[in-house]
Each structure stands twice: as C-alpha cells, then as structure tokens.
C-alpha cells in the first residue's frame, strides 16, 4: 500500500486482536512462560515457520485455483469485501476494505481498494505460486484513503448497502462511513482526520473489536470493555432527503444523510451522532465479539472474556435470553451465526478450539453443551465465519498463522478412502498456510464463490507490516467425490483418444 516505510515499528507493537490489553511487562512475562512450555512439550524438533512456508508455497499450484499475495507496509487488523463493481470474461472487479495500523509517523487509515479477481479455472497453475513476498500484487490497487481518527480495529459493511461501513477504534464510539462520498486523503504526518458521516454513541468505555451489521435491517451491534452490548438503528438518522422512502436502503443512494461535496472533511464538528436503541447487560468482562441472527434484527448473540456465550432478544428486554456460563475453557474471541440455519452458532476461543452450538439445546439456566468441538489450531482462535456457499462449511483463523476450513457434515461420517493424515482433526478438509504470522481476520466473498481474503499481522515474524492474500482453493478439494472421479475419467478418456489418433 502507498505509505511511508515504518520507522518506529519496534517501538509500538501490534494490537493483540481479541485479547484484553495488558501491561507490557506482563505480556513479556507471559510470552516467555508460553515459549518455555512449548519448548518443554516438544519431543522432536518442529519445522521452522520459514520451512513450513516453503513447503506450502511448493504446493500452491496443486492446492489452489487462484492466489494473490499482497505485501502491506503497515499491519492491518481487518479486511472486508465491498460491492462487486464489474464482471468481465476472465476477471471480476470488486471493492475491498482494509485498515492500516501505523506507528504514528503517519496517520492510521481506512483503505478502499479495487481488486481484480481471476475467475475459476483461468489462472495457470505454474503462475500463481510465482510471487514475491515483499511486493504488492498487481491485482490489488488502492482506490481511496480515509484518514481514520485512531486505529481501525474492525471494519464491517452494511449488507443492504456495502458502500456503508462501520469501524471500531480505541474509543467508546462506533463510526459510520459512506466510503463513496468521503474524500480521498493523503496520509501524511499532521494531516487532520476525516470526519465520519455518523457517530453511534452509547458505550461507557472503549469498544474495540465487537462489531456487527444486521443482514435484514440497517442495525448496528457493538460490544466493549464496559461489559455491555449496544444496539443502534442507522435509520434513526435517515432524513427524507437521504433516500426515497419507497425504496429499500440498498436500492440506491446512501442511507446516511448526505453532506455537500467536501463538507464531510471540513466541518468543525466530528459529525452527527445517534443514541442506542438498547443497552444489554449480562457479561462480567469485556465483550469481544457480537453477531446478529440471520433472520431477525431483534435477536443477536455475544461472547466475551468471561467465557460466556449470551443470546439476546430485544423484544423481551435487555437481560440475557440464554446465557451459557462456560462455553469454552478460556476467553472467547469470536462468534458467527449460520446464515443458512439459524439454529447453529460458532464460537472461537483462546483455548485453541472452535465450538458449534445448537441454540435449541441451550437453556435459560446456563446449561448448554456444544454439538462438537473442532480442533486443528495450536494457538488462540481469532476469527470464525460460516461459508456463504455451503451451509456446513466454515473457516477459523488463529495466532498460529493458519486458516482452517472445516465441514461439519464430514464429522462422524465414514470415508471410503483413508485420509492423508490419520491424525487429521475431524471435519478439517483444508488448511491455508500461506501466512507466516497470526491471521487476524478473513472474509468469504459472497459475490465470488469459495474466494477468501485473509490478512496477517507479521510484526512478530518479519518485524513489520502484514500480508494480504486473496485465494480460492481448487474445486477438486470441495466438490463431491463422484463428480471429481467422473471428471477425471473424462480427462483420462480424452488423453487416450488423443494418443491413439494417427
């Protein structure tokens, strides 16, 4: 990304996404203790990060249909897909949102990029692995820079209009941006920050990570250090001049009251604000993540550092509808609700596992066991998300640098052919190992099936910056086995017929 090379990265380490901020001395002590335990527990020498990466890169032509690697000068804590802009014969063009977490020598920014996504079965296998880790990808072009007031910890787009995004920073407020009307800024030292189109107020302490947008209505959900979950409606600020009331929010224009050209960055005030629809209390520690029920703006759930999973129903009050007291054996970092089956909820934790809950099995007295506990990470899980393409598939990324893809339909089912590794965790069918440090965020592309963008914070491994990767696994991996075998037979027949021709 276009920016000055970091000069002070060693002075200010990256934010630990999904973890409570701790004093530096305590962090260093914990890291030393953790490193000591890891060394004691390993009976045999394990491959280094670089060795694992080299092995992964050699397999890229076999495992992937397409992959783009984009070096980031600054770490990014969040990446999200925006609207699809264009469809062409061999490539599609789409917006991408990501953050730049700087060391203070230049401002923190919200970056809007244009990405070219190569269509399935177009890229040549010998080409997709030929990339330079230190270079920017020709498939990712910066389109606009918004100077953000503080670090961008999380980005979420509004499903009804993905040109509207919400951001979390180190403050109690949620900031709403219309990225199309915001001016393009040059991020230089001393530049004033861009002004958000709307500010959502209601938290009593910093809200840094827990953020969600409702899939059915323009509602926003947030959680923070004040142990509360706060609900807003952007519609509370809509004026009759912003959109045609006869239209849906995403059918045209902006759902935010429009400023005159340039006004958004020259106002004396930070921008208009709106208060919450409700404040929900029930957690006993920081709320780390929130998500809406896919079918209702009034139902949502949250997870936190108190190891609790809480389901809420705004129609019946601000107290928990269901509270699972011990959803994991450690802090919970992330949660996602299945968009295809509103009974299924995923959680990820510092205990290295992903758990699947069925809300029909949860009771109001705090009793609830997961349907299954998915293993495959050896560090804290930072992000989980269901696939928009298949109802039983989901991904989870962690501090071990891996992004695992599971299919819970495969759990407990008899497999005709023995798996490649007899110790492979149940349900795990793909492991993206292209990052050399913690994978802090990823996002499935709803417009481009089986395509994922993922980002890693590489400060611990390379001393600065990050890596953004856009990738799509080979369809031979996830397609039904009978389809794959039938296609291989056709290919075999074709080769034989070509060989026998005079």
């Amino acid at each position: 990304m276009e920016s000055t090379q970091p000069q002070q990265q060693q002075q200010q380490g990256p934010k630990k996404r999904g973890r409570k901020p701790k004093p530096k001395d305590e962090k260093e002590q914990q890291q030393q203790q953790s490193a000591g335990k890891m060394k004691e527990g390993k009976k045999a020498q394990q491959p280094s990060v670089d060795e694992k990466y080299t092995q992964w890169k050699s397999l890229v032509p076999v495992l992937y249909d397409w992959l783009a690697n984009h070096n980031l000068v600054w770490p990014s804590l969040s990446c999200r897909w925006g609207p699809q802009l264009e469809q062409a014969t061999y490539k599609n063009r789409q917006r991408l949102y990501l953050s730049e977490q700087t060391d203070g020598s230049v401002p923190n920014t919200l970056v809007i990029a244009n990405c070219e996504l190569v269509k399935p079965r177009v890229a040549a296998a010998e080409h997709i692995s030929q990339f330079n880790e230190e270079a920017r990808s020709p498939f990712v072009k910066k389109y606009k820079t918004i100077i953000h007031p503080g670090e961008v910890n999380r980005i979420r787009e509004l499903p009804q209009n993905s040109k509207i995004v919400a951001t979390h920073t180190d403050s109690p407020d949620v900031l709403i941006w219309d990225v199309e009307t915001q001016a393009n800024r040059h991020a230089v030292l001393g530049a004033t920050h861009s002004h958000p189109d709307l500010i959502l107020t209601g938290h009593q302490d910093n809200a840094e990570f827990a953020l969600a947008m409702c899939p059915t209505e323009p509602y926003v959900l947030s959680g923070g250090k004040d142990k509360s979950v706060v609900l807003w409606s952007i519609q509370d600020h809509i004026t009759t001049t912003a959109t045609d009331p006869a239209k849906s929010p995403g059918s045209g224009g902006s759902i935010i009251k429009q400023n005159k050209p340039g006004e958004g960055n020259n106002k004396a005030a930070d921008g208009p604000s709106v208060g919450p629809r409700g404040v929900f209390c029930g957690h006993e520690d920081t709320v780390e993540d929130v998500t809406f029920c896919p079918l209702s703006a009034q139902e949502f759930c949250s997870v936190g550092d108190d190891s609790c999973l809480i389901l809420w129903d705004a129609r019946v009050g601000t107290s928990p509808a269901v509270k699972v007291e011990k959803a994991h054996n450690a802090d919970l970092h992330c949660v996602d609700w299945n968009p295809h089956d509103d009974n299924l909820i995923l959680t990820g934790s510092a205990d290295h596992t992903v758990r699947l809950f069925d809300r029909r099995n949860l009771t109001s007295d705090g009793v609830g066991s997961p349907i299954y506990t998915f293993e495959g990470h050896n560090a804290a899980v930072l992000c989980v998300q269901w696939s928009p393409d298949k109802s039983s598939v989901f991904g989870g990324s962690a501090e071990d640098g891996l992004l695992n893809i599971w299919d819970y339909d495969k759990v407990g089912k008899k497999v005709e052919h023995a798996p490649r590794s007899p110790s492979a965790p149940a349900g795990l069918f793909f492991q993206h190992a292209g990052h050399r440090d913690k994978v802090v965020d990823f996002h499935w592309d709803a417009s481009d099936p089986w395509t994922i963008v993922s980002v890693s914070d590489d400060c611990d491994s390379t001393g600065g910056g990050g890596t953004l990767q856009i990738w799509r696994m080979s369809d031979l991996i996830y397609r039904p086995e009978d389809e794959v075998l039938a296609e291989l037979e056709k290919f075999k027949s074709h080769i034989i017929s070509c060989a026998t021709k005079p």
Side-chain angles (χ1 to χ4, degrees), residues 16-276:
K16 298 295 185 182
R17 180 181 170 186
R19 288 197 271 175
K20 293 181 291 184
K22 295 174 181 175
K24 183 177 180 182
D25 293 342
E26 185 180 346
K27 281 185 184 176
E28 290 177 350
Q29 185 178 5
Q30 286 189 352
Q31 288 171 355
Q32 291 170 359
Q33 291 174 350
S34 176
K37 289 178 182 177
M38 287 176 65
K39 288 177 182 177
E40 292 172 6
K42 295 192 191 240
K43 296 179 181 179
Q45 285 188 345
Q46 297 293 322
S48 69
V49 172
D50 287 336
E51 288 172 338
K52 287 181 179 178
Y53 178 80
T54 301
Q55 181 184 25
W56 167 82
K57 194 172 181 181
S58 69
L59 295 173
V60 165
V62 178
L63 297 176
Y64 296 85
D65 176 77
W66 180 65
L67 182 141
N69 186 91
H70 186 76
N71 177 261
L72 300 172
V73 174
W74 301 107
S76 178
L77 294 181
S78 195
C79 58
R80 300 292 289 187
W81 290 113
Q84 191 174 73
L85 303 174
E86 182 184 3
Q87 291 187 344
T89 304
Y90 300 109
K91 292 186 289 189
N92 296 331
R93 199 158 57 92
Q94 190 167 350
R95 286 271 197 267
L96 178 69
Y97 308 130
L98 64 150
S99 64
E100 289 182 323
Q101 182 193 9
T102 73
D103 60 0
S105 60
V106 293
N108 294 285
T109 61
L110 170 63
V111 174
I112 297 90
N114 288 340
C115 297
E116 290 185 337
L117 306 181
V118 175
K119 289 189 173 182
R121 301 198 173 192
V122 169
E126 64 269 21
H127 291 158
I128 60 174
S129 62
Q130 295 175 1
F131 58 83
N132 179 359
E133 285 80 3
E134 306 306 317
R136 299 171 187 172
S137 169
F139 297 102
V140 181
K141 303 288 187 183
K142 183 180 285 189
Y143 168 73
K144 182 182 287 188
T145 299
I146 295 171
I147 299 180
H148 199 269
E151 296 176 354
V152 184
N153 298 331
R154 186 161 290 187
I155 306 166
R156 288 293 180 265
E157 75 290 346
L158 185 67
Q160 300 87 14
N161 184 347
S162 55
K163 297 175 183 178
I164 306 298
V165 302
T167 57
H168 254 328
T169 185
D170 296 336
S171 83
D173 300 330
V174 176
L175 308 181
I176 305 295
W177 308 86
D178 184 331
V179 298
E180 294 303 316
T181 62
Q182 284 283 331
N184 187 21
R185 303 290 304 283
H186 187 45
V188 295
L189 183 63
T192 59
H193 67 75
S194 303
H195 292 281
D197 294 274
L198 186 62
I199 300 172
L200 308 182
T201 62
H203 278 293
Q204 302 304 310
D205 201 343
N206 285 358
E208 297 176 342
F209 293 104
L211 184 63
M213 295 284 225
C214 178
T216 58
E217 297 185 48
Y219 280 25
V220 182
L221 196 63
S222 169
K225 289 184 177 180
D226 58 3
K227 310 172 188 177
S228 70
V229 174
V230 184
L231 175 69
W232 297 269
S233 171
I234 298 178
Q235 214 152 9
D236 290 346
H237 190 66
I238 293 178
T239 67
T240 54
T241 58
T243 57
D244 183 343
K247 297 180 181 180
S248 65
S251 61
S254 171
I255 66 163
I256 297 180
K257 181 180 178 182
Q258 294 295 293
N259 299 310
K260 295 177 182 178
E263 183 184 357
N265 293 315
N266 296 317
K267 292 182 296 182
D270 279 339
S273 63
V274 65

Side-chain angles (χ1 to χ4, degrees), residues 1 35 51 150 160 178 196 259 261 268 279 298 300 347 364 409 448 462 501:
M1 286 294 161
E51 288 172 338
Q160 300 87 14
D178 184 331
N259 299 310
V279 178
Q298 305 297 327
F300 38 91
T347 57
S364 57
D409 271 354
D448 201 308
T462 64
K501 283 182 180 179

Side-chain angles (χ1 to χ4, degrees), residues 52-53 56-57 60 64 67 69 131 133 401-403 431-437 439 454 456 458 467 469 471:
K52 287 181 179 178
Y53 178 80
W56 167 82
K57 194 172 181 181
V60 165
Y64 296 85
L67 182 141
N69 186 91
F131 58 83
E133 285 80 3
L402 298 175
L403 202 172
Q431 196 167 67
H432 178 65
H435 294 283
R436 288 171 288 177
D437 213 325
V439 184
S454 53
S456 59
D458 298 342
T467 301
Q469 292 182 336
W471 53 276

